[in-house]
Amino acid sequence: MFKKINQTLITKYPLIWNLKLIWILFAAISLNLIAFINGFLFFNQKSQLQESQLFRGFLDQGIIIYYVLVAIIILIIWLYFYIKNNRFKSFFPTSRNYLFKEFLAVFLIFFLFSYLPNSFKSGVKLRVANYISNDQFEKDIDIINRAQPFTLQYNFGYSNYSRNLPVPVFDSLVSEKETKTLYFQNKKEYEIANKRLYNPFLTPYFRNDEFEQLLKNHFDDRKSYQLISFSTSYVPLNRVKKTDGYLPDIQEAMLAEQSASDNVTMAAESIVFSNNNDEPEIYYNLSSLYNYSDLAFQNVKDSTLNHKYYDEQLIALLQKNDRKAIENLLNNYTDLLNNHEIGYQFKHKKWIDYLPHYPYYFIDTNLNYLEDKQAPNNKLKDYINQSSLNQVYTNIYEAKYESSWLEGIQYCLMLALSFTMLIITFRFSSFKVWLIALVAAGILMILGSALGMGIGSIFYEQSNFISYSILFLFYIAFIVLMSYGLRTKKYKVLTGVCLNWFVATNIFIGIVLISFYTEIRNEMLYNGQDVDLYDFRNTNAELQMLQKMAEIFFYVNPFLYIISFYFIINLYKKWQAMPEE
């Protein structure tokens, strides 16, 4: 049977026979199917859902090593039979279409082997996506979104700068008129002392610094001489000056457990002093549940269940002061913790007893979970491991709504294209030329890097552009030397080496050009701007457009290269016709 199939392929489909295409495709597809099943079976415990890198198990758990070894063995066996016969090098009449089909077939083979990580991840995501139904998932995330503020995690919260909804209990204390009056006063003083412009007045008025400055006057009992960083909310109202009293996150979390009234009476040695004088900085702990609404998960089916909706629900619930409704919500949340075997502890008090009280709901404690290595005595305090529950539903959300067979496909295409070029340049040129090109490419990279660092040390301000410039100079040199050799029919070895370099460089030259142009525009647009470079790149419309174009081009680039290679084949045919040296 196999002999008959081989005979048919030799006589009717020589390209398929020479490539051993049927057998290698069968091996590649089978390996992908095994990877998919392996991924599906990889998720087998509830606790795995708490892992932030669940879908990276193929790499992080070292599973990739076994697949790489198997793939290498298969490809070596295939290459042995594939390379034995080369009609192009044997000067057998070969059309451009035939060679192009050979290129496409090799590319397909390497693409299938490059796709193995995606097959594994798809298997994992399929099983995770079916862990709970979509309806149950929507009910659960609704509970999580509603209960988020009450988990009292110190990394939650937002300040008035990001608040867009009115909170009557606070906003009634400060008027828009007095906020504006103080704003213009601060603006005048600031512009006299600084050359930079003062921030524009924000609407609604409670989003301005001045609102917080005025609000603190109503809560003298919330004054503290200790740096309070339970959350970013209202902390501190006076701008913090850089001092030696900076506290890392864990210490801040510990401090947050102490009430504002306790902080006022802290020992003198713990007071944080200003750099300018010996007077202590004054901080105000105005962190409130009103500023603790956090949208953990967006409902894909209903866009109205957004951050604004849950803000409104929280404000209404707190204004009613319905402790029974809050307690029912907390019970539903603990049911979710129990279902997913996630730890929490309430030995000292009930959860409801930790919550702040009406009407301001000021927060003086936290229920954050710290691992033993961060806080050895963590188990002595009550806590909620809220981050683990969020991670469970983050993984389920990603598996259900952010899963695609095309995920990361651009990297598979580029990897397959790189390996294809390695094999095709060997097939289309001589072993001598191919080996010289490979070794010399490594030497050129070392020399180019050394040259770039040397020039960069002299022209430091232009160091970003030097590496691009050197690459383009090399690329132009490859084209010039290759063109000269093909036109004069001299220096066959050098011409072949430059041709191979040109073909390899074409894979990424378009991406480099876009990156180079983006860097130039970034330098031109940022010049004279008084903002952080990272923020500028993320807000400038032109740079954002260029970034989007680069992302699209990364997908399109492999296909453009494949099209261009159809015409490059003629260059190899011309090179082959050159006389031997």
Side-chain angles (χ1 to χ4, degrees):
M1 177 182 172
F2 292 115
K3 187 176 180 181
K4 186 177 180 182
I5 292 173
N6 269 339
Q7 191 62 36
T8 304
L9 292 176
I10 291 173
T11 55
K12 294 185 177 181
Y13 308 102
L15 178 60
I16 295 176
W17 174 84
N18 187 44
L19 281 165
K20 305 296 181 283
L21 193 59
I22 294 176
W23 317 118
I24 190 64
L25 288 182
F26 175 78
I29 292 170
S30 298
L31 199 56
N32 274 275
L33 182 60
I34 292 170
F36 177 81
I37 296 171
N38 192 182
F40 187 83
L41 298 175
F42 176 76
F43 170 60
N44 51 33
Q45 294 178 351
K46 282 184 178 181
S47 59
Q48 287 178 281
L49 286 172
Q50 299 176 36
E51 299 172 7
S52 60
Q53 303 296 323
L54 172 62
F55 303 122
R56 287 180 52 86
F58 191 76
L59 297 173
D60 294 347
Q61 301 295 324
I63 299 172
I64 187 175
I65 296 173
Y66 303 105
Y67 283 90
V68 168
L69 289 175
V70 172
I72 288 173
I73 292 170
I74 293 172
L75 287 171
I76 288 174
I77 295 171
W78 168 71
L79 283 170
Y80 171 76
F81 290 102
Y82 171 48
I83 292 172
K84 277 202 309 183
N85 302 298
N86 191 336
R87 58 188 285 164
F88 182 66
K89 286 183 179 178
S90 301
F91 298 97
F92 192 86
T94 308
S95 68
R96 178 165 65 175
N97 288 344
Y98 179 95
L99 295 175
F100 186 63
K101 289 175 185 177
E102 182 176 348
F103 163 77
L104 291 178
V106 173
F107 174 72
L108 176 61
I109 292 166
F110 280 105
F111 172 75
L112 289 174
F113 280 102
S114 301
Y115 196 78
L116 287 170
N118 279 31
S119 295
F120 183 90
K121 184 187 287 188
S122 297
V124 179
K125 286 192 171 183
L126 179 64
R127 191 161 193 184
V128 172
N130 290 281
Y131 179 69
I132 59 174
S133 67
N134 289 351
D135 290 340
Q136 186 61 50
F137 177 78
E138 290 163 15
K139 291 177 183 177
D140 291 352
I141 63 171
D142 181 63
I143 293 171
I144 293 173
N145 286 335
R146 291 177 186 275
Q148 288 280 95
F150 303 106
T151 59
L152 300 181
Q153 305 294 303
Y154 75 90
N155 55 324
F156 275 7
Y158 55 91
S159 68
N160 279 346
Y161 315 126
S162 58
R163 178 159 71 91
N164 290 295
L165 296 179
V167 179
V169 70
F170 286 121
D171 300 343
S172 61
L173 300 175
V174 180
S175 70
E176 182 173 4
K177 181 179 179 181
E178 60 182 332
T179 303
K180 277 191 175 180
T181 301
L182 181 58
Y183 167 81
F184 287 115
Q185 179 184 325
N186 288 348
K187 180 179 180 182
K188 183 178 179 181
E189 293 174 358
Y190 180 87
E191 291 181 343
I192 291 173
N194 300 275
K195 294 181 180 180
R196 294 179 292 182
L197 295 175
Y198 196 65
N199 293 330
F201 188 79
L202 301 175
T203 304
Y205 71 98
F206 49 71
R207 294 179 62 199
N208 292 273
D209 292 350
E210 288 71 25
F211 177 88
E212 296 190 2
Q213 286 181 258
L214 293 166
L215 188 63
K216 72 176 183 179
N217 297 329
H218 295 271
F219 298 101
D220 195 60
D221 59 319
R222 306 299 294 176
K223 182 187 295 185
S224 170
Y225 293 105
Q226 183 75 5
L227 180 60
I228 305 165
S229 294
F230 178 69
S231 75
T232 57
S233 191
Y234 302 113
V235 181
L237 293 175
N238 290 344
R239 290 301 184 193
V240 182
K241 299 174 184 178
K242 293 183 179 179
T243 71
D244 295 333
Y246 174 77
L247 300 170
D249 290 344
I250 295 171
Q251 291 176 301
E252 291 172 357
M254 297 301 187
L255 270 177
E257 294 180 326
Q258 305 191 28
S259 67
S261 59
D262 290 338
N263 284 333
V264 175
T265 59
M266 288 293 289
E269 59 266 20
S270 66
I271 294 176
V272 179
F273 290 92
S274 165
N275 283 336
N276 298 331
N277 50 58
D278 291 334
E279 295 180 4
E281 287 276 13
I282 298 175
Y283 303 92
Y284 282 80
N285 179 14
L286 299 185
S287 295
S288 167
L289 275 182
Y290 281 110
N291 288 68
Y292 261 54
S293 176
D294 182 67
L295 183 66
F297 301 98
Q298 179 68 57
N299 190 306
V300 175
K301 294 182 180 179
D302 190 349
S303 60
T304 61
L305 300 178
N306 51 25
H307 200 165
K308 181 174 180 291
Y309 169 81
Y310 286 105
D311 278 355
E312 291 171 343
Q313 294 293 304
L314 175 66
I315 292 170
L317 183 60
L318 295 179
Q319 285 176 336
K320 289 178 182 177
N321 194 26
D322 189 344
R323 306 289 281 193
K324 187 63 178 176
I326 294 174
E327 191 166 15
N328 289 336
L329 177 61
L330 303 187
N331 289 336
N332 290 334
Y333 190 88
T334 52
D335 287 342
L336 290 180
L337 293 171
N338 290 328
N339 290 340
H340 296 289
E341 301 174 359
I342 295 173
Y344 65 94
Q345 175 176 279
F346 291 105
K347 288 183 177 179
H348 306 288
K349 291 192 293 187
K350 293 181 179 179
W351 187 356
I352 190 73
D353 295 330
Y354 281 103
L355 299 187
H357 295 288
Y358 181 86
Y360 299 114
Y361 295 97
F362 286 130
I363 300 171
D364 288 318
T365 188
N366 69 70
L367 295 172
N368 58 290
Y369 171 79
L370 296 175
E371 295 183 9
D372 290 343
K373 62 183 179 181
Q374 296 174 310
N377 297 323
N378 181 59
K379 291 182 180 179
L380 298 177
K381 67 183 286 290
D382 291 341
Y383 67 89
I384 299 171
N385 193 351
Q386 174 271 344
S387 60
S388 289
L389 183 63
N390 274 19
Q391 187 60 58
V392 167
Y393 283 87
T394 296
N395 285 332
I396 297 174
Y397 182 91
E398 183 178 343
K400 283 181 176 292
Y401 304 114
E402 296 180 353
S403 181
S404 170
W405 289 88
L406 297 177
E407 184 180 355
I409 194 74
Q410 68 274 32
Y411 303 108
C412 297
L413 290 170
M414 289 296 289
L415 185 62
L417 207 54
S418 300
F419 281 117
T420 301
M421 282 304 97
L422 197 62
I423 300 303
I424 288 297
T425 51
F426 176 80
R427 288 282 287 179
F428 288 6
S429 62
S430 67
F431 175 73
K432 177 183 176 181
V433 167
W434 180 82
L435 186 61
I436 292 173
L438 194 62
V439 174
I443 296 172
L444 276 181
M445 287 191 336
I446 294 171
L447 291 175
S449 300
L451 182 62
M453 287 189 289
I455 298 175
S457 62
I458 299 172
F459 303 99
Y460 180 75
E461 293 183 358
Q462 304 299 324
S463 58
N464 288 345
F465 306 126
I466 291 171
S467 55
Y468 291 113
S469 302
I470 292 173
L471 177 61
F472 293 143
L473 285 174
F474 280 157
Y475 183 67
I476 292 170
F478 300 157
I479 295 174
V480 170
L481 292 173
M482 175 191 69
S483 301
Y484 178 79
L486 291 175
R487 184 168 55 84
T488 61
K489 300 186 184 302
K490 296 179 179 179
Y491 314 112
K492 185 172 184 178
V493 173
L494 177 62
T495 303
V497 168
C498 290
L499 176 56
N500 283 350
W501 282 343
F502 169 72
V503 169
T505 311
N506 273 350
I507 296 175
F508 54 85
I509 195 66
I511 297 172
V512 174
L513 277 170
I514 292 178
S515 299
F516 186 37
Y517 179 74
T518 301
E519 285 291 335
I520 292 173
R521 291 300 300 156
N522 180 69
E523 189 79 15
M524 294 172 65
L525 294 170
Y526 184 67
N527 189 29
Q529 296 290 328
D530 188 25
V531 293
D532 180 72
L533 178 59
Y534 178 81
D535 292 335
F536 179 74
R537 285 177 172 174
N538 288 316
T539 54
N540 183 271
E542 182 179 343
L543 294 178
Q544 286 292 294
M545 180 192 68
L546 288 172
Q547 178 65 30
K548 192 66 178 176
M549 286 177 58
E551 291 174 3
I552 294 172
F553 186 79
F554 201 63
Y555 283 95
V556 176
N557 181 59
F559 300 101
L560 293 177
Y561 183 86
I562 289 171
I563 294 170
S564 69
F565 192 79
Y566 180 77
F567 302 97
I568 290 173
I569 290 172
N570 273 349
L571 299 179
Y572 276 105
K573 292 174 75 71
K574 288 181 180 179
W575 174 83
Q576 188 193 43
M578 290 174 64
E580 296 293 334
E581 294 179 351

